[in-house]
Amino acid sequence: IMNAFGLIQIGLILLCTTTISSLQCNHLPLQQRKVIEKSLQLLDKMGKKFPQQCLKEKMSFRFPEQVLKPRQKETVKVAIEEIFHHIFYIFSKNLTLASWDGTALEQFQNGLYQQIEQREACVIKKQTHYFRNKDVNRLKLKKYFQKIDCFLKDKQHNLCSWEISRAETRRCLQLIDKVIRKL
Amino acid sequence: ETDETEWKELHGCQNVTHTECDFSSAITKYYDTHHVHIRAERREEVSPWSSIFEMIPYFIAQIGPPGVQLQSTNGVIKIKVSPPEANQVQKMWLADTLFKYTLVIWENSSNAEFRNRSIFPTDVIDDLAPDTTYCLKVQAVLTSESHEGLFSPIHCVKTTHKAVSDLLCATNVSVFALNMKFHLHWNNQYKQHVSYNVQYLTGYLKTFPDQRSVNWLNVPGCENITNTQCNFSSIITTSGCYYLRVQAMSEYNRSCLSDEIEVNPLVTNEIGPPDVKVDISDLLLHIQISPPGGSESEVMRDYYDWSYRVLYWKNSSNNEEEIKMKEIKQTIGTVSDLTSSTLYCLKVQAFSKFYNKSSLFSKEECIKTPGDKILPLIILATFVTALIAVLLLAMPLIFALYQAYNKIKYVFFPSCQPPLNIEGFGGELLSSPYVSTTEEPIENCCIIETIITEEVNQIDFKDYKNSKQSSRDSGNYSNNDDASGSKVSEEMLEKEIV
């Protein structure tokens, strides 16, 4: 299909955030719970049961559970946000070898992305100027996800490495689900 | 390094003659705390170590400038941004898919105003004047960490003239959505035959700086169509945003893309009315609500977390009745401040606090409260029932008492008096009421007749028999024994004759 020589009218592309910014930021945790439930369902729907042959390649990534210990609501919220970012990033990689259900994967990513956008819209609303956030908990989470990222790279994103990462992500989301229910 | 006893040489900062050095190659663990100290050397002399400088590479690092590519066509500027560490293997900013890009653009003239806006990696800037030179710069931002990166170098470009709008293109692309049914409508002014392809892009793909952000797919059921509307409910899920556009194609293989429209399903749609059932008991109005959506209400209920507003009023000829409102969270509720014998009407609206959305109002349902007439009727009914009950209990009792009275009266106060001509009865109070009878003397009757002689004349005998018979017949009072005795003697006689 050839584009018109004369004309391509591409109008204003609105960011999803502009429509979401009118949402009530106080009710965000409730929405997050629903998104996490849905994400867990989609994660399961994406692929089949964990393949037996991948068991021997299983690695312990040691999720830093202390970041989710609910000392302060804000700390936990920041941790959850960071985790969503990284999960979104990981699942943006080359997934052809995993051969998962494309629709489920798309919905999974879209849901995470919307959550991230909503959260950011609320953050922007609150802040008048930027003070760079230097949270140590973020670093712990970044180290953890870096391990997963390196693991995937080392195994060249093969099926087993993806299945192990998927199982690890499920574990992550389940932990978040537990914590959010207590908030 | 982190352990004080294990200081290592910092590569890139050995034997440096300037007061700065680049030790990037030495840093691999971006999230660990590093300690650095420095000393000066001159031939054999060595200065003491400086104070320790502590740092975490990740927190010290600044997001670098992104790469920018521009294309000026048809009065708009097409921009393609590449992330700061685009071609590096080892990256500081892992989650580079989550960079947002801020564009600052201004006209290349004096007193130009700077305009800020947020853009996607692949984007179009179209609110520009034609044949004007604009200058712009872009920065990458990590919003979650409130980290703004360095700006790219300034790029200046001149916009071309705006071409005449092609009539082929679809215009006024808009979405009409009710609950979870989504329809796209557009206009077209092209005189000749046009066919359309409706395309969509899942929202999150726009954030990628690569081909994925332009990977538009056709909406099933809306390929090569001729009418100017499309039902795209099939591609919509509640997970997030979607972008839609219409591609118009003419017979001569010419095509044109319409404006893109963003659809956020849970936000963009119109919510249909909920269903309401009312019931009345005394002065309590019971309301039963079905959430909006009908058959799709599962999805609707999951995501929207409805609360309900009930509006109710007295429906009288006087139209100035106050409309009262009650908010309920569940699907069942009651309204209690009602007056009797009044017609009340109500309608219900569902609303979602989070999405700040209200549904359409349900149909008006009217119901009349029961009047006070009921109360006296109830009282009367209760009274009559009680009366009957009392009567039922009292009747046997009265009857029993009456019977007892009769018996006593009959025994102690007899109504019959004995006849006055019987002596001895008048004054005797305790005499027995029954008259004793004397025994009747019983006669021992016997037939005194004996026949002994043989020479009795037959005729006499016959006569005697007859007379005997007759005498026997008349002997009504005789005893049986005697009678049987006389029979025996007669038999003897008859034998003798024969």
Side-chain angles (χ1 to χ4, degrees), chain A residues 1-2 7 16 34 117 143, chain B residues 32 166 241 247 255 302:
Chain A
I1 296 159
M2 283 166 23
L7 221 44
C16 284
K34 293 204 183 106
E117 288 287 285
K143 270 195 198 174
Chain B
D32 289 347
D166 190 351
C241 293
Q247 183 188 45
S255 72
D302 271 347

Side-chain angles (χ1 to χ4, degrees), chain B residues 285-306:
Chain B
L285 192 64
H286 299 281
I287 309 165
Q288 201 176 5
I289 306 170
S290 311
S295 54
E296 311 145 310
S297 60
E298 275 293 334
V299 166
M300 302 276 289
R301 199 181 5 218
D302 271 347
Y303 283 88
Y304 281 110
D305 194 35
W306 299 116

Side-chain angles (χ1 to χ4, degrees), chain A residues 47-109:
Chain A
K48 301 185 203 83
K49 244 176 59 166
F50 190 83
Q52 290 293 327
Q53 70 266 28
C54 297
L55 275 172
K56 59 181 188 299
E57 291 187 43
K58 214 161 198 273
M59 235 191 81
S60 162
F61 296 106
R62 286 196 299 268
F63 179 81
E65 292 191 28
Q66 64 270 36
V67 306
L68 288 178
K69 291 280 183 280
R71 280 166 297 150
Q72 277 178 309
K73 256 194 194 180
E74 269 311 306
T75 327
V76 176
K77 277 189 188 169
V78 163
I80 291 171
E81 186 184 77
E82 188 70 25
I83 292 167
F84 279 176
H85 276 216
H86 283 280
I87 294 176
F88 181 79
Y89 167 72
I90 286 173
F91 281 81
S92 312
K93 300 272 129 196
N94 185 359
L95 284 149
T96 47
L97 291 175
S99 51
W100 287 334
D101 176 2
T103 317
L105 178 64
E106 215 177 65
Q107 283 184 42
F108 176 75
Q109 288 286 77

